[in-house]
């Protein structure tokens, strides 16, 4: 992937940086992006590791802000290569860090995949980074994965929303307030990655009630605005 455009790191919320690695159309039709989010605090946290083959690139971007060895938490939404593919490499580079995931992910996967004991969070359980308090939101099968869930930064009002609002393209804009529902729906209709679970409607509403002011998307631009309205709009589109 040596011909890929340059990766970047941009502050998109208080103490929160979006690391983005663009994938051009010759590697993926239409282009794509892999985003990770770094929360800089007394106990720094990384949300998403990126795929294993991109570990070196992600590490280089993080180290523009702080040494990787200072990471204390490496969190992710569900077990998938772009979510936690380089978890072993990050744990080796940050020996005081611990994986953070859902209790289900810890039970069925992470306890076996790495040697560092994970922090398996129950729904509504929080971790304190120092100034930032992040609370786990369990969302089984939304969009996919029994173990799926998200972290909500109560301090910065940012929802680290994983695969929700996946947008095509190389994610050139770090942050936008423009429409992301239309592009994400076009992506979903082309390759539907939603489980369409029984409880999806209730889970969308649960996330909306958090009142996020920013949505930290894993693919495409991060978004700022009325997060509750955007999440309810996505719910209506998926459930219709």
């Amino acid at each position: 992937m040596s011909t890929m455009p340059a990766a970047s790191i941009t502050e998109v919320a208080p103490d929160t940086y979006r690391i983005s690695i663009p994938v051009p159309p010759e590697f993926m039709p239409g282009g794509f992006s892999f985003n990770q989010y770094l929360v800089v605090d007394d106990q720094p946290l990384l949300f998403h590791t990126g795929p294993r083959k991109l570990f070196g690139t992600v590490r280089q971007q993080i180290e523009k802000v702080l040494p990787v060895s200072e990471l204390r938490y490496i969190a992710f939404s569900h077990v998938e290569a772009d979510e936690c593919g380089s978890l072993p490499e990050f744990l080796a580079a940050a020996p005081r860090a611990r994986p953070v995931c859902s209790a289900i992910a810890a039970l069925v996967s992470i306890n076996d995949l790495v040697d560092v004991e994970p922090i398996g969070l129950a729904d509504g359980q929080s971790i304190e980074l120092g100034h930032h308090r992040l609370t786990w939101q369990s969302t089984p099968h939304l969009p996919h994965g029994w173990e799926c869930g998200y972290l909500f930064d109560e301090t910065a009002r940012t929802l680290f929303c994983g695969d929700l609002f996946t947008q095509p393209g190389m994610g050139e804009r770090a942050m936008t307030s423009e429409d992301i529902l239309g592009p994400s729906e076009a992506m979903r209709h082309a390759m539907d990655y939603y489980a369409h679970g029984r409880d999806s409607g209730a889970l969308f509403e649960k996330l909306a009630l958090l009142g996020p002011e920013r949505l930290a998307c894993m693919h495409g631009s991060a978004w700022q605005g009325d997060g509750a309205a955007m999440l309810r709009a996505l719910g209506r589109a998926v459930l219709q």
Side-chain angles (χ1 to χ4, degrees):
M1 291 191 176
S2 58
T3 61
M4 289 200 305
S8 62
I9 184 166
T10 308
E11 190 170 13
V12 293
D15 307 316
T16 304
Y17 294 80
R18 172 188 179 262
I19 300 156
S20 188
I21 302 175
V23 180
E26 56 263 37
F27 290 95
M28 188 172 292
F32 202 55
S33 61
F34 294 105
N35 301 329
Q36 302 80 42
Y37 292 90
L38 173 68
V39 183
V40 177
D41 207 330
D42 298 338
Q43 306 287 321
L45 176 143
L46 180 69
F47 195 77
H48 309 143
T49 69
R52 179 178 59 84
K53 291 181 179 179
L54 296 180
F55 167 70
T57 304
V58 176
R59 177 175 185 163
Q60 287 175 354
Q61 296 305 308
I62 292 172
E63 292 194 332
K64 293 178 179 179
V65 176
L66 54 75
V68 165
S69 60
E70 292 186 6
L71 290 173
R72 293 297 178 266
Y73 299 110
I74 303 170
F76 53 90
S77 168
H78 55 278
V79 180
E80 201 169 5
D82 54 358
E83 296 270 357
C84 59
S86 58
L87 179 60
E89 286 78 6
F90 271 107
L91 291 173
R96 288 183 286 174
R98 291 182 66 184
V100 177
C101 55
S102 71
I104 294 295
L107 175 68
V108 304
S109 296
I110 304 305
N111 274 313
D112 184 66
L113 292 178
V114 297
D115 293 329
V116 178
E117 183 180 3
I119 300 172
L121 297 176
D123 185 43
Q125 188 174 355
S126 299
I127 55 174
E128 302 281 352
L129 305 187
H131 298 91
H132 292 258
R133 176 185 176 92
L134 276 63
T135 302
W136 183 258
Q137 307 295 320
S138 292
T139 60
H141 309 295
L142 184 67
H144 47 250
W146 175 34
E147 76 280 16
C148 187
Y150 307 109
L151 280 174
F152 179 58
D153 185 340
E154 298 180 7
T155 309
R157 313 302 299 172
T158 300
L159 178 64
F160 297 96
C161 61
D163 281 327
L164 299 182
F165 301 102
T166 289
Q167 305 149 55
M170 293 189 290
E172 294 91 344
R173 297 182 65 178
M175 174 67 78
T176 186
S177 57
E178 297 179 1
D179 175 51
I180 59 171
L181 179 60
S184 71
E185 278 296 281
M187 189 85 177
R188 184 176 69 86
H189 286 297
M191 183 183 293
D192 194 353
Y193 52 94
Y194 275 70
H196 300 279
R198 176 192 63 194
D199 299 323
S200 292
L203 293 174
F204 275 119
E205 182 61 19
K206 168 185 168 181
L207 296 176
L209 289 172
L210 297 171
E213 298 174 2
R214 300 172 192 84
L215 301 173
C217 305
M218 186 174 179
H219 306 290
S221 300
W223 183 87
Q224 60 184 357
D226 186 345
M230 184 63 79
L231 285 159
R232 288 183 176 118
L234 176 60
R236 288 192 297 272
V238 170
L239 295 170
Q240 68 182 6

